[in-house]
Structures are given as structure tokens and as C-alpha cells.
Amino acid sequence: MDLSPLDVRYQEFPRAFRGYHRGAVREYLARVAEAMEALIQENEALKERLRALEEENARLKEAEGELKRAVVAAERIARELKAQAEREAELLRKEAQAAKERLLQEAAEELKRLRAEIERARQEKALFLGQVRALFEGYLEALKRLEKTP
């Protein structure tokens, strides 16, 4: 059975011979009713505060869930970026290796070409010197013959 402050305040008691002093009973009931009113107001205020805190708790749990999802997404993105950077680094390394090998190949071919050119120049020099020597020897022979002739 619910009992309100008004029920307490206006409660009537049967009269009995040599009963309680009505004024004192009324005064006591008024104090009890006031205390009940204060407790009811406090209870309502606490219920309102509880409702507000439950709403805040729900909002914070939702925000926490969103934050967890954001952290998971950030970790996934970080892993993807790291993997992409590793792939790009590997690609750059392979490109640099290929460029190095190409440059070494070109240098080796240029060196081979230059050595062949040097060898050809040596052969041409030897041929030229042989021809000049033969020419001079021919002239020398001709000079010797001319000197021997009267």
C-alpha cells in the first residue's frame, strides 16, 4: 500500500477514552509528512540524476565504441601503409639493382669497345711504322745505289 504525505497529514484516528492529544498527533503527523515530502523530492531528484547518468554512460559507451573502431581502422591503415611502403621500397631496390646492372653492362661494353679500338690503333700504328720503315728503307736503298753509281 502506497502512503503519501497527504495521507499521513490528514489521517484520522478513532477517538478513545483518554487517547492521545490531538494537537500533538497532528503536529507529529505534519512533521512526518514534511519528511516524507523531502524524501520523495530527494528520491525524484536522484531518479532524474540516475537517468541523466545512464544517458551519459550510454553516450560514453557509444563514443568508446566509435573510438575503438577508429583505433582498429587506424591500425589497419597503418599496416596497409607499412606494407605498401615495403612494396615500394622493394620495387625501388629492384629498379636500382637493374639500373646498376645496366650501367655495369654498358661500362663493360664501352671498355670492350675501347680496348678493341686501342688494339686497332696499335695495329694501325705497327702497319704505319712498317710502311714508313719500308719506304725509308727503299729510299735508303735508292740513296745507296745512287752513291755507288759514278
Side-chain angles (χ1 to χ4, degrees), residues 79-105:
R79 282 191 306 271
E80 289 173 0
L81 287 175
K82 181 180 177 186
Q84 182 179 356
E86 288 172 351
R87 286 190 302 270
E88 289 177 3
E90 181 63 21
L91 179 63
L92 287 174
R93 188 191 66 75
K94 286 180 180 179
E95 287 176 356
Q97 181 69 25
K100 178 188 90 168
E101 289 175 7
R102 188 183 73 248
L103 287 174
L104 286 174
Q105 181 66 32

Side-chain angles (χ1 to χ4, degrees), residues 4-6 8-9 26-42:
S4 73
L6 288 175
V8 173
R9 190 178 303 275
R26 289 272 171 229
E27 182 181 321
Y28 179 75
L29 290 175
R31 286 196 333 246
V32 170
E34 287 174 11
M36 281 181 71
E37 286 174 353
L39 288 173
I40 288 171
Q41 288 176 355
E42 182 182 355

Side-chain angles (χ1 to χ4, degrees), residues 69-129:
R69 286 188 294 278
V71 167
V72 168
E75 288 173 346
R76 180 184 50 80
I77 290 169
R79 282 191 306 271
E80 289 173 0
L81 287 175
K82 181 180 177 186
Q84 182 179 356
E86 288 172 351
R87 286 190 302 270
E88 289 177 3
E90 181 63 21
L91 179 63
L92 287 174
R93 188 191 66 75
K94 286 180 180 179
E95 287 176 356
Q97 181 69 25
K100 178 188 90 168
E101 289 175 7
R102 188 183 73 248
L103 287 174
L104 286 174
Q105 181 66 32
E106 289 173 1
E109 288 173 4
E110 180 68 11
L111 180 62
K112 185 178 178 182
R113 187 189 65 76
L114 289 174
R115 284 183 177 161
E117 193 174 310
I118 289 171
E119 184 59 31
R120 196 173 35 257
R122 283 183 184 155
Q123 289 173 358
E124 287 178 8
K125 175 184 170 187
L127 180 64
F128 176 74
L129 288 177

